[in-house]
Amino acid sequence: MTTSSDTVQTDLLRFLATRTGRTWETDADVFGSGGLSSLFAMELVVHLERSYGIAVRGADLRMDNFRTVLQMAALVERLQPTAGDSGGSGA
């Protein structure tokens, strides 16, 4: 299942608004604005994994991958298998 970046961004903006009670821009630093905790970061990881069938592990768990909706959408896009991907490295 490959999902467009726009769809992921829309979903994440909705998720953030529901969970935080405020409206977000795609380039807003959701942790730099204060009020969001590392526990919330784990909620984001679980949401992304369940919603998009990805596994966020190791180096991908860096906070920088979760600071903005744009960065989260890019992470999802990078971790999702492409059509015809057999799981190999391809390079």
Side-chain angles (χ1 to χ4, degrees):
M1 164 180 96
T2 302
T3 309
S4 80
S5 182
D6 288 343
T7 302
V8 174
Q9 290 175 34
T10 300
D11 170 60
L12 286 169
L13 290 170
R14 188 176 306 122
F15 176 79
L16 286 169
T18 299
R19 302 292 289 153
T20 66
R22 61 182 273 202
T23 302
W24 296 90
E25 297 296 326
T26 58
D27 60 349
D29 183 341
V30 299
F31 294 97
S33 64
L36 300 183
S37 66
S38 57
L39 180 59
F40 186 75
M42 292 312 300
E43 287 184 53
L44 282 169
V45 170
V46 170
H47 175 74
L48 294 174
E49 289 182 331
R50 289 182 178 168
S51 297
Y52 301 104
I54 61 173
V56 182
R57 303 284 181 264
D60 291 323
L61 285 170
R62 293 177 307 128
M63 186 62 79
D64 286 343
N65 285 328
F66 300 92
R67 288 215 176 269
T68 70
V69 167
L70 292 172
Q71 290 167 311
M72 288 183 264
L75 177 68
V76 168
E77 188 172 336
R78 185 167 47 82
L79 294 178
Q80 280 189 322
T82 58
D85 186 0
S86 60
S89 66

